[in-house]
């Protein structure tokens, strides 16, 4: 394995519909590993051959027809894969692997949680909080260097959203979600790599709604996508980038990819 390792994460919002822009991203940025969320493809229709042709021959899939789905494709070997059911209903929202250097890489797609931030009125919001609670229990028992990446569907900091005041009652930025994510962070001492390299209050977004006529002009973004590392592993991170230009590509995802580079 080389002296450095680059890992990318992207909620692609249908891997088959957006294969062209994924291929472009891989050709231009060439990360060693790419974690995808919301692939919306069962394993038997995942475009495995297309990724292999680009050099990403190591693939671990946890797909689901039309909904959810996560995948890890890599130019370096992947071993000891697992799929944890933090949703407790069989949805394909997690896949994890171990790399040859011993690092664990966990790829997660946290539920969005519906529109009403009230467990009693909106069962989907309760499912989201329960998902985070199961993740927290898991994190408390971690004993190996781990990188957790994916779409957390939570923007925890005031500078992670275009308007803290206007989004306080909007699912993804409510105090109850932010508190749940803080409990999860504390359970393992996770280091938020995005905010290590781009400290608040600097603007840092990874998602813009399709509803905006001109997303770049209105810039009503949120930081829903994250890379969090175990404390020991965080010290090996030497760079972190978000690729806003991908939001302007043809038929884009509403999310953009992130890349962190590690010195091993």
């Amino acid at each position: 394995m080389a002296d450095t390792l680059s890992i990318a994460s992207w909620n692609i919002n249908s891997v088959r519909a957006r294969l062209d822009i994924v291929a472009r991203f891989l050709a231009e940025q060439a990360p060693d590993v790419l974690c995808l969320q919301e692939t919306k493809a069962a394993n038997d229709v995942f475009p495995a051959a297309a990724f292999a042709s680009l050099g990403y021959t190591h693939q671990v899939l946890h797909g689901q027809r039309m909904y959810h789905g996560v995948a890890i494709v890599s130019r370096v070997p992947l071993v000891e894969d697992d799929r944890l059911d933090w949703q407790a209903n069989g949805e394909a929202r997690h896949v994890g692997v171990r790399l040859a250097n011993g690092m664990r890489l966990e790829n997660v797609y946290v539920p969005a949680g519906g529109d009403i931030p009230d467990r009693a009125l909106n069962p989907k919001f309760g499912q989201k909080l329960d998902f985070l609670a199961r993740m927290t229990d898991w994190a408390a028992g971690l004993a190996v260097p781990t990188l957790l990446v994916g779409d957390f569907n939570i923007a925890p900091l005031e500078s992670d959203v275009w308007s803290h005041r206007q989004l306080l009652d909007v699912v993804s930025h409510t105090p109850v979600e932010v508190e749940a994510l803080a409990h999860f962070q504390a359970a393992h001492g996770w280091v938020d790599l995005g905010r290590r390299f781009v400290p608040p209050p600097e603007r840092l977004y990874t998602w813009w709604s399709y509803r905006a006529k001109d997303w770049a002009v209105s810039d009503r973004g949120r930081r829903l996508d994250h890379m969090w590392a175990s404390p020991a592993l965080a010290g090996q991170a030497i760079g972190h980038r978000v690729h806003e230009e991908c939001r302007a590509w043809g038929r884009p995802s509403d999310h953009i990819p992130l890349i962190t580079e590690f010195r091993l």
Side-chain angles (χ1 to χ4, degrees), residues 12-36:
I12 196 57
N13 192 15
S14 180
V15 66
R16 290 181 293 171
R18 306 191 206 286
L19 187 57
D20 287 349
I21 63 171
V22 179
R24 177 180 172 182
F25 173 73
L26 293 176
E28 292 182 2
Q29 301 299 326
D32 295 303
V33 184
L34 172 63
C35 298
L36 294 169

Side-chain angles (χ1 to χ4, degrees), residues 54-66:
L54 294 166
Y56 294 81
T57 55
H58 305 278
Q59 304 177 12
V60 178
L61 311 177
H62 188 193
Q64 188 170 345
R65 182 176 178 267
M66 296 176 63

Side-chain angles (χ1 to χ4, degrees), residues 1-259:
M1 188 174 285
D3 292 337
T4 62
L5 180 76
S6 57
I7 297 176
S9 177
W10 196 356
N11 178 322
I12 196 57
N13 192 15
S14 180
V15 66
R16 290 181 293 171
R18 306 191 206 286
L19 187 57
D20 287 349
I21 63 171
V22 179
R24 177 180 172 182
F25 173 73
L26 293 176
E28 292 182 2
Q29 301 299 326
D32 295 303
V33 184
L34 172 63
C35 298
L36 294 169
Q37 304 89 42
E38 205 172 355
T39 59
K40 296 183 178 179
N43 292 352
D44 61 348
V45 297
F46 184 86
F51 283 105
S53 71
L54 294 166
Y56 294 81
T57 55
H58 305 278
Q59 304 177 12
V60 178
L61 311 177
H62 188 193
Q64 188 170 345
R65 182 176 178 267
M66 296 176 63
Y67 297 100
H68 321 308
V70 285
I72 301 175
V73 298
S74 175
R75 303 191 298 184
V76 300
L78 305 174
V79 295
E80 294 186 26
D81 55 286
D82 59 12
R83 295 153 186 80
L84 302 176
D85 188 10
W86 289 322
Q87 181 73 340
N89 64 1
E91 290 181 359
R93 291 184 174 274
H94 167 269
V95 66
V97 297
R98 188 185 293 269
L99 303 180
N101 63 3
M103 178 198 303
R104 282 216 61 85
L105 173 60
E106 309 289 347
N107 179 19
V108 64
Y109 176 37
V110 176
D115 295 327
I116 303 171
D118 186 314
R119 177 189 288 272
L121 299 176
N122 173 21
K124 289 183 178 180
F125 191 70
Q127 288 178 339
K128 181 177 189 176
L129 297 178
D130 293 342
F131 189 106
L132 290 165
R134 295 184 188 100
M135 283 179 59
T136 300
D137 290 342
W138 163 81
L142 277 178
V144 295
T146 301
L147 179 68
L148 178 74
V149 309
D151 179 1
F152 290 11
N153 264 311
I154 299 174
L157 304 181
E158 292 188 17
S159 52
D160 288 341
V161 295
W162 65 272
S163 173
H164 170 63
R165 181 180 59 82
Q166 294 184 64
L167 292 177
L168 272 173
D169 294 325
V170 175
V171 173
S172 77
H173 191 60
T174 65
V176 66
E177 292 168 279
V178 171
E179 181 180 10
L181 194 62
H183 286 311
F184 170 69
Q185 186 169 20
H188 183 60
W190 295 105
V191 176
D192 178 349
L193 295 176
R195 284 308 186 183
R196 176 184 163 192
F197 286 93
V198 187
E202 189 170 341
R203 167 194 174 282
L204 183 60
Y205 305 151
T206 67
W207 175 91
W208 295 261
S209 173
Y210 286 130
R211 296 175 184 174
K213 288 186 177 180
D214 191 329
W215 68 274
V217 171
S218 61
D219 197 28
R220 294 190 170 191
R222 306 179 204 175
R223 186 172 71 109
L224 303 181
D225 305 271
H226 300 264
M227 290 184 158
W228 286 14
S230 296
L233 180 60
Q236 297 177 271
I238 58 174
H240 178 85
R241 306 188 301 277
V242 296
H243 290 270
E244 287 193 25
E245 70 276 9
C246 298
R247 184 63 177 80
W249 291 355
R251 296 190 69 195
S253 171
D254 43 358
H255 297 255
I256 60 171
L258 334 174
I259 300 179

